[in-house]
């Protein structure tokens, strides 16, 4: 027994030493090329501020650093996560509560190296793993823009995190394991347009922050991991770009992808949920050449192989759904669809281009993660209001008039009519989304 206890103590000691080494390595001062004002007098400050404003929109800074209905960039927005609640800071140039005392180097360190003023380690809820790719000129332009804003005092709140995530010093170990400061590497084998799209998607756009799967420590496989991401605390799912069953990237044209990014809808799809906010706050302001560059990059992502029909058949068999039962579900669902859905989405699920999305072949209703579609059926919703689509058509909420069983039936019908093929929806699948948080 004594030897066993000594072995346990020894293993714990080794683990602690290893953890300490990881923390020390990850806490080392990062690289911060010093800012030189040599030649800066020739820079058109107003042009730099304007460029910084555009870049800040692409990075969707307002989306996180602004509360619902609050003043822009004063912070205080709560970001829900499995580790607790992150509260975003004030990034106006207020000297007491904002970044008024920050230097241009401090700002670069935050973006490139995940460190705040005086080297404070930042939590990766701030997507510095993506922003690390942002080049120095763009970082300086963004800083010039934020310094041009009106200073608004707003005391920053502490994050409300569970143990051990509330131990900031442990970020050093996380950084050692999962983060290396980097700069964007131009791929000579690809076009200039593709490289611009990669820079925007992987860096400023930080798309992998949502559209990637993460391990139990909250780390993904890198800025090109677009394997789909669960958002368990807010009950949304960011679909995988590399899976044709979750997005229509493979079949959509570059123009359709470009339009979806900048307008929030295309001839076949409409964005909803958190992505609607991204389009409203950020992507609608893309220059046409930048939205096209992002579309070119996204279209060239390698796609996973499609699921074979026999795989679905085996899944149905595992669920215990016979052919007769499926026919019965479809017949009941068809009646509900005809009564509540066909007027807008069409008898054959064809929809109305740029008004009501088609349901036939729509990846949003076919993917195995059913939550997004169920949320929209239950709570309704609108496409984002954008310059290209200022008065979007909406989807009414059906939670008040349809039961869980009825929503399961009509969803099952939509997922298996007109050549669609997907697993049926169960009543138990619906209920968790009935009371899902709306923000």
């Amino acid at each position: 027994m004594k030897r066993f206890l000594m072995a346990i103590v020894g293993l714990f000691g080794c683990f602690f030493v290893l953890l300490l080494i990881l923390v020390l390595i990850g806490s080392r001062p990062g690289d911060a090329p010093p800012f030189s004002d040599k030649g800066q007098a020739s820079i058109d400050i107003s042009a730099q501020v304007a460029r910084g404003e555009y870049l800040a929109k692409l990075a969707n800074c307002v989306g996180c650093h602004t509360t619902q209905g609050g003043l822009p960039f004063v912070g205080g927005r709560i970001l829900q996560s499995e580790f607790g609640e992150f509260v975003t800071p004030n990034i106006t140039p207020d000297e007491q509560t904002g970044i008024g005392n920050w230097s241009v180097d401090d700002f670069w360190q935050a973006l490139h190296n995940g460190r705040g003023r005086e080297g404070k380690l930042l939590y990766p809820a701030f997507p510095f793993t993506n922003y690390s790719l942002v080049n120095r000129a763009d970082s300086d332009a963004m800083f010039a823009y934020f310094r041009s804003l009106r200073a608004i005092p707003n005391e920053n709140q502490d994050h409300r995190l569970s143990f051990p995530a509330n131990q900031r010093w442990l970020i050093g170990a996380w950084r050692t394991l999962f983060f290396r400061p980097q700069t964007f590497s131009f791929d000579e084998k690809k076009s200039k347009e593709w490289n611009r799209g990669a820079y925007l998607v992987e860096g400023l756009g930080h798309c992998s922050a949502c559209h990637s799967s993460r391990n139990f420590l909250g780390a993904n496989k890198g800025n090109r991991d677009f394997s789909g991401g669960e958002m368990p605390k807010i009950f949304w799912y960011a679909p995988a770009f590399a899976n044709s069953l979750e997005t229509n990237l493979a079949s959509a044209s570059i123009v359709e992808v470009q339009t979806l990014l900048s307008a929030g809808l295309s001839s076949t799809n409409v964005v909803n949920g958190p992505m609607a906010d991204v389009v409203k706050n950020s992507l609608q302001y893309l220059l046409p050449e930048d939205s096209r560059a992002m579309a070119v990059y996204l279209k060239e992502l390698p796609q996973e192989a499609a699921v074979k029909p026999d795989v679905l058949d085996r899944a149905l068999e595992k669920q215990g759904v016979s052919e007769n039962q499926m026919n019965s579900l479809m017949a009941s669902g068809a009646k509900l669809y005809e009564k509540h859905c066909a007027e807008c989405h069409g008898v054959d699920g064809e929809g109305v281009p740029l008004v009501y999305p088609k349901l036939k072949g729509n990846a949003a209703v076919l993917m195995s993660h059913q939550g997004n579609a169920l949320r929209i059926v239950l709570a309704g919703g609108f496409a984002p209001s954008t310059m290209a689509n200022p008065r979007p058509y909406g989807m009414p909420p059906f939670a008040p008039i349809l039961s869980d069983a009825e929503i399961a039936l009509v969803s099952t019908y939509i997922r298996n009519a007109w050549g669609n093929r997907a697993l049926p929806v169960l009543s138990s699948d619906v209920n968790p989304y009935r009371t899902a948080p709306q923000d």
Side-chain angles (χ1 to χ4, degrees):
M1 184 68 177
K2 186 177 180 181
R3 289 183 179 179
F4 176 75
L5 290 175
M6 289 179 65
I8 294 295
V9 171
L11 286 172
F12 180 79
C14 291
F15 171 78
F16 182 79
V17 170
L18 177 61
L19 179 62
L20 184 61
I21 291 172
L22 292 175
V23 167
L24 291 173
I25 293 173
S27 301
R28 291 178 303 177
D31 61 323
F35 178 74
S36 171
D37 61 2
K38 183 178 180 181
Q40 292 299 306
S42 62
I43 290 180
D44 183 339
I45 298 300
S46 62
Q48 188 183 37
V49 168
R51 175 164 176 75
E53 180 180 13
Y54 175 70
L55 296 169
K57 286 178 178 176
L58 296 196
N60 195 22
C61 301
V62 74
C64 286
H65 293 275
T66 306
T67 59
Q68 195 85 22
L71 296 172
F73 304 117
V74 300
R77 179 159 189 173
I78 296 173
L79 306 180
Q80 300 284 354
S81 81
E82 57 270 46
F83 305 106
E85 296 178 344
F86 291 96
V87 188
T88 60
N90 183 351
I91 56 172
T92 73
D94 180 67
E95 292 187 356
Q96 300 301 317
T97 64
I99 61 171
N101 288 323
W102 284 41
S103 69
V104 70
D105 279 340
D106 291 333
F107 190 79
W108 163 255
Q109 275 280 40
L111 263 63
H112 182 67
N113 200 33
R115 293 175 179 273
R117 191 163 178 261
E118 299 178 346
K120 180 180 180 181
L121 296 179
L122 301 178
Y123 280 99
F126 172 67
F128 61 81
T129 52
N130 296 90
Y131 290 160
S132 185
L133 294 178
V134 176
N135 63 49
R136 184 62 197 250
D138 283 351
S139 173
D140 292 347
M142 291 171 70
F143 183 71
Y145 167 65
F146 286 120
R147 289 300 298 267
S148 74
L149 300 174
R150 178 167 67 94
I152 304 173
N154 187 40
E155 200 67 37
N156 293 313
Q157 303 174 43
D158 292 333
H159 302 311
R160 298 185 281 272
L161 306 175
S162 57
F163 182 84
N166 59 358
Q167 303 298 304
R168 189 180 287 267
W169 62 277
L170 287 174
I171 301 174
W174 190 95
R175 291 167 60 93
T176 301
L177 293 171
F178 305 117
F179 175 64
R180 297 290 183 278
Q182 56 190 309
T183 55
F184 181 74
S185 179
F186 192 93
D187 189 340
E188 298 290 345
K189 297 179 181 179
K190 298 289 188 178
S191 67
K192 184 178 179 180
E193 186 175 46
W194 182 95
N195 277 279
R196 175 63 177 171
Y199 176 72
L200 295 176
V201 170
E202 297 174 19
L204 279 168
H206 60 284
C207 300
S208 65
C210 290
H211 290 273
S212 64
S213 53
R214 295 180 179 273
N215 63 25
F216 73 103
L217 292 176
N220 62 16
K221 296 178 182 178
N223 298 336
R224 293 186 179 180
D225 177 11
F226 304 116
S227 55
E230 295 273 6
M231 302 179 188
K233 291 295 181 179
I234 60 172
F235 288 81
W236 285 99
Y237 173 76
F241 292 157
N243 189 330
S244 60
L245 295 179
E246 296 192 6
T247 66
N248 293 107
L249 278 174
S251 58
S253 68
I254 288 176
V255 173
E256 284 178 319
V257 177
Q258 184 180 8
T259 303
L260 187 67
L261 291 174
S262 57
L265 81 169
S266 68
S267 60
T268 57
N269 290 300
V270 174
V271 300
N272 283 279
M275 190 63 192
D277 290 335
V278 173
V279 172
K280 180 180 178 180
N281 295 327
S282 174
L283 298 181
Q284 69 162 313
Y285 300 104
L286 284 164
L287 294 171
E289 57 268 31
D290 279 343
S291 61
R292 178 178 169 82
M294 290 179 71
V296 166
Y297 172 79
L298 292 170
K299 279 284 295 175
E300 291 193 26
L301 289 173
Q303 296 290 305
E304 296 177 4
V307 176
K308 295 180 180 179
D310 64 311
V311 175
L312 183 59
D313 290 337
R314 289 198 299 271
L316 283 169
E317 185 178 343
K318 188 175 181 180
Q319 279 194 3
V321 180
S322 67
E323 184 176 348
N324 287 339
Q325 286 174 315
M326 194 65 182
N327 290 337
S328 176
L329 293 174
M330 290 294 288
S332 299
K335 294 177 182 178
L336 289 166
Y337 181 85
E338 182 181 1
K339 180 178 180 180
H340 299 288
C341 314
E343 183 177 352
C344 293
H345 293 285
V347 175
D348 296 317
E350 69 275 16
V352 179
L354 301 178
V355 180
Y356 304 118
K358 73 173 186 176
L359 302 178
K360 179 180 179 179
N362 189 328
V365 299
L366 288 172
M367 62 182 175
S368 59
H369 296 271
Q370 304 161 7
N372 294 1
L374 291 176
R375 285 199 63 153
I376 295 165
V377 173
L378 284 162
F382 285 84
S385 177
T386 61
M387 293 178 288
N389 185 35
R391 298 179 66 184
Y393 289 85
M395 168 88 168
F398 285 95
I401 59 176
L402 294 180
S403 67
D404 291 350
E406 289 172 322
I407 289 175
L409 284 169
V410 73
S411 298
T412 296
Y413 174 76
I414 291 169
R415 286 162 62 85
N416 289 278
W418 325 299
N420 289 349
R421 195 92 193 284
L423 289 172
V425 179
L426 307 177
S427 298
S428 57
D429 296 328
V430 178
N431 191 257
Y433 298 97
R434 190 173 282 277
T435 56
Q438 295 303 305
D439 185 24

